[in-house]
Protein backbone atom coordinates (compact mmCIF):
# COMPACT_ATOMS: atom_id res chain seq x y z
CA UNK A 1 0.00 0.00 0.00
CA UNK A 2 1.16 3.53 -0.60
CA UNK A 3 2.13 5.52 2.46
CA UNK A 4 -0.18 7.97 4.25
CA UNK A 5 1.57 11.08 2.93
CA UNK A 6 1.26 9.93 -0.70
CA UNK A 7 -2.37 8.94 -0.14
CA UNK A 8 -3.04 12.38 1.37
CA UNK A 9 -1.39 14.10 -1.59
CA UNK A 10 -3.45 12.07 -4.07
CA UNK A 11 -6.62 12.95 -2.14
CA UNK A 12 -5.68 16.64 -2.36
CA UNK A 13 -5.15 16.27 -6.12
CA UNK A 14 -8.54 14.60 -6.42
CA UNK A 15 -10.23 17.42 -4.49
CA UNK A 16 -8.52 20.05 -6.65
CA UNK A 17 -9.52 18.50 -10.00
CA UNK A 18 -12.79 20.42 -10.54
CA UNK A 19 -11.07 23.76 -9.85
CA UNK A 20 -7.97 23.69 -12.08
CA UNK A 21 -7.48 24.51 -15.77
CA UNK A 22 -7.44 21.81 -18.47
CA UNK A 23 -3.65 21.55 -18.73
CA UNK A 24 -3.19 21.13 -14.98
CA UNK A 25 -6.21 18.82 -14.80
CA UNK A 26 -4.57 16.35 -17.22
CA UNK A 27 -1.40 16.26 -15.11
CA UNK A 28 -3.33 15.78 -11.88
CA UNK A 29 -5.43 12.99 -13.40
CA UNK A 30 -2.27 11.27 -14.60
CA UNK A 31 -0.68 11.54 -11.13
CA UNK A 32 -3.86 10.18 -9.50
CA UNK A 33 -4.05 7.24 -11.92
CA UNK A 34 -0.35 6.49 -11.43
CA UNK A 35 -0.86 6.48 -7.67
CA UNK A 36 -3.83 4.12 -8.02
CA UNK A 37 -1.76 1.84 -10.24
CA UNK A 38 1.09 1.74 -7.72
CA UNK A 39 -1.42 1.04 -4.95
CA UNK A 40 -2.93 -1.81 -6.98
CA UNK A 41 0.47 -3.39 -7.65
CA UNK A 42 1.44 -3.14 -4.02
CA UNK A 43 -1.83 -4.61 -2.80
CA UNK A 44 -1.37 -7.59 -5.13
CA UNK A 45 1.58 -8.66 -3.03
CA UNK A 46 -0.69 -9.14 -0.02
CA UNK A 47 -1.80 -12.80 0.33
CA UNK A 48 -5.21 -11.66 1.64
CA UNK A 49 -5.77 -9.72 -1.60
CA UNK A 50 -4.72 -12.69 -3.71
CA UNK A 51 -7.06 -15.06 -1.89
CA UNK A 52 -9.90 -12.58 -2.43
CA UNK A 53 -9.18 -12.67 -6.18
CA UNK A 54 -10.27 -16.32 -6.37
CA UNK A 55 -7.27 -17.63 -8.24
CA UNK A 56 -8.84 -21.07 -8.55
CA UNK A 57 -8.54 -22.21 -12.11
CA UNK A 58 -12.06 -22.84 -13.32
CA UNK A 59 -12.67 -24.28 -16.76
CA UNK A 60 -13.32 -21.88 -19.58
CA UNK A 61 -16.90 -21.91 -20.88
CA UNK A 62 -16.01 -21.62 -24.56
CA UNK A 63 -19.63 -21.55 -25.71
CA UNK A 64 -20.48 -18.62 -23.42
CA UNK A 65 -17.30 -16.81 -24.48
CA UNK A 66 -18.05 -17.19 -28.19
CA UNK A 67 -21.69 -16.17 -27.66
CA UNK A 68 -20.66 -13.01 -25.83
CA UNK A 69 -18.03 -12.19 -28.45
CA UNK A 70 -20.63 -12.67 -31.17
CA UNK A 71 -22.82 -9.96 -29.62
CA UNK A 72 -20.19 -7.29 -30.25
CA UNK A 73 -18.70 -8.61 -33.51
CA UNK A 74 -19.21 -7.47 -37.08
CA UNK A 75 -20.99 -9.69 -39.62
CA UNK A 76 -17.88 -11.52 -40.85
CA UNK A 77 -16.67 -12.18 -37.30
CA UNK A 78 -20.15 -13.40 -36.33
CA UNK A 79 -20.09 -15.92 -39.16
CA UNK A 80 -16.76 -17.29 -37.95
CA UNK A 81 -17.93 -17.36 -34.34
CA UNK A 82 -21.18 -19.08 -35.34
CA UNK A 83 -19.16 -21.70 -37.21
CA UNK A 84 -17.08 -22.33 -34.09
CA UNK A 85 -20.23 -22.44 -31.95
CA UNK A 86 -21.73 -25.01 -34.31
CA UNK A 87 -18.59 -27.15 -34.02
CA UNK A 88 -18.80 -26.95 -30.23
CA UNK A 89 -22.47 -27.91 -30.27
CA UNK A 90 -21.78 -30.79 -32.63
CA UNK A 91 -19.00 -31.97 -30.34
CA UNK A 92 -21.35 -31.75 -27.35
CA UNK A 93 -24.01 -33.69 -29.24
CA UNK A 94 -21.47 -36.34 -30.26
CA UNK A 95 -20.28 -36.72 -26.66
CA UNK A 96 -23.88 -36.99 -25.50
CA UNK A 97 -24.48 -39.68 -28.11
CA UNK A 98 -21.41 -41.60 -26.96
CA UNK A 99 -22.65 -41.37 -23.37
CA UNK A 100 -26.09 -42.49 -24.52
CA UNK A 101 -24.57 -45.51 -26.29
CA UNK A 102 -22.61 -46.51 -23.20
CA UNK A 103 -25.70 -46.31 -21.01
CA UNK A 104 -28.00 -48.10 -23.42
CA UNK A 105 -26.51 -51.27 -24.81
CA UNK A 106 -29.77 -53.04 -25.73
CA UNK A 107 -30.22 -54.18 -29.36
CA UNK A 108 -31.83 -51.81 -31.84
CA UNK A 109 -35.59 -51.85 -32.18
CA UNK A 110 -37.41 -51.52 -35.45
CA UNK A 111 -40.15 -48.91 -35.82
CA UNK A 112 -43.64 -50.09 -35.02
CA UNK A 113 -45.84 -50.63 -38.00
CA UNK A 114 -48.64 -48.39 -36.74
CA UNK A 115 -46.96 -45.02 -36.38
CA UNK A 116 -43.32 -45.42 -37.38
CA UNK A 117 -42.15 -44.42 -33.89
CA UNK A 118 -39.55 -46.40 -32.00
CA UNK A 119 -40.85 -48.29 -28.98
CA UNK A 120 -37.63 -48.59 -27.01
CA UNK A 121 -36.13 -45.17 -26.30
CA UNK A 122 -33.13 -46.97 -24.84
CA UNK A 123 -31.99 -48.43 -28.14
CA UNK A 124 -28.78 -47.26 -29.74
CA UNK A 125 -30.23 -45.89 -32.95
CA UNK A 126 -29.26 -42.33 -33.79
CA UNK A 127 -32.93 -41.45 -34.27
CA UNK A 128 -33.78 -42.57 -30.75
CA UNK A 129 -30.87 -40.62 -29.40
CA UNK A 130 -31.99 -37.48 -31.22
CA UNK A 131 -35.54 -38.05 -30.00
CA UNK A 132 -34.24 -38.24 -26.45
CA UNK A 133 -32.76 -34.76 -26.86
CA UNK A 134 -36.05 -33.14 -27.92
CA UNK A 135 -38.72 -31.40 -25.89
CA UNK A 136 -42.12 -33.15 -25.69
CA UNK A 137 -43.57 -30.76 -28.29
CA UNK A 138 -40.69 -31.44 -30.67
CA UNK A 139 -41.05 -35.19 -30.11
CA UNK A 140 -44.74 -34.96 -31.00
CA UNK A 141 -43.95 -33.07 -34.21
CA UNK A 142 -41.28 -35.60 -35.22
CA UNK A 143 -43.63 -38.48 -34.40
CA UNK A 144 -46.30 -36.97 -36.67
CA UNK A 145 -43.74 -36.49 -39.44
CA UNK A 146 -42.63 -40.13 -39.09
CA UNK A 147 -46.25 -41.26 -39.31
CA UNK A 148 -46.71 -39.31 -42.53
CA UNK A 149 -43.51 -40.68 -44.05
CA UNK A 150 -44.33 -44.29 -43.13
CA UNK A 151 -47.90 -44.28 -44.44
CA UNK A 152 -48.42 -46.32 -47.59
CA UNK A 153 -49.00 -44.18 -50.67
Amino acid sequence: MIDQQTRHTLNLFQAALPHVNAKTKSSLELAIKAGELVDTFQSMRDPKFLSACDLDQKPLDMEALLTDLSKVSNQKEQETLNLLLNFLKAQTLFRSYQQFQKQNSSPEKKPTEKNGAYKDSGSQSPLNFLLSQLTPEQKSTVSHMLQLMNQPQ
Side-chain angles (χ1 to χ4, degrees), residues 2 7 11 13 20 25 31-32 36 38-39 50 67 72 93 96 104-105 108 110 121 128 135-136 141 145 148:
I2 57 177
R7 166 102 35 230
N11 288 338
F13 287 171
V20 297
K25 189 174 189 172
I32 292 167
E36 290 172 351
V38 167
D39 192 35
L50 291 176
T67 301
V72 294
L93 183 63
S96 296
N104 302 290
S105 59
E108 280 192 37
K110 299 292 180 190
S121 64
N128 283 332
T135 64
T141 302
M145 289 173 43
L148 291 174

Side-chain angles (χ1 to χ4, degrees), residues 12-126:
L12 290 174
F13 287 171
Q14 187 73 35
L17 271 178
H19 309 286
V20 297
N21 64 29
K23 187 175 182 179
T24 305
K25 189 174 189 172
S26 308
S27 299
L28 288 179
E29 287 175 337
L30 182 62
I32 292 167
K33 293 295 179 191
E36 290 172 351
L37 183 62
V38 167
D39 192 35
T40 301
F41 282 133
Q42 288 178 345
S43 67
M44 290 176 84
R45 293 182 185 168
D46 183 10
K48 291 177 187 174
F49 175 81
L50 291 176
S51 66
C53 289
D54 188 26
L55 294 177
D56 295 334
Q57 294 294 330
K58 57 184 175 185
L60 175 64
D61 183 357
M62 187 60 73
E63 189 172 339
L65 172 65
L66 293 174
T67 301
D68 289 344
L69 287 174
S70 181
K71 293 175 184 175
V72 294
S73 300
N74 62 37
Q75 184 66 30
K76 187 175 181 180
E77 293 167 337
Q78 283 179 355
E79 289 174 8
T80 303
L81 291 170
N82 286 336
L83 178 68
L84 292 172
L85 277 168
N86 288 337
F87 278 124
L88 283 176
K89 289 177 181 179
Q91 181 183 35
T92 302
L93 183 63
F94 179 70
R95 286 182 180 159
S96 296
Y97 181 64
Q98 285 179 321
Q99 183 73 21
F100 180 81
Q101 279 186 316
K102 287 178 185 175
Q103 292 175 350
N104 302 290
S105 59
S106 64
E108 280 192 37
K109 301 282 183 185
K110 299 292 180 190
T112 60
E113 297 194 16
K114 284 185 178 179
N115 61 9
Y118 287 78
K119 276 188 175 178
D120 182 13
S121 64
S123 77
Q124 295 183 35
S125 79

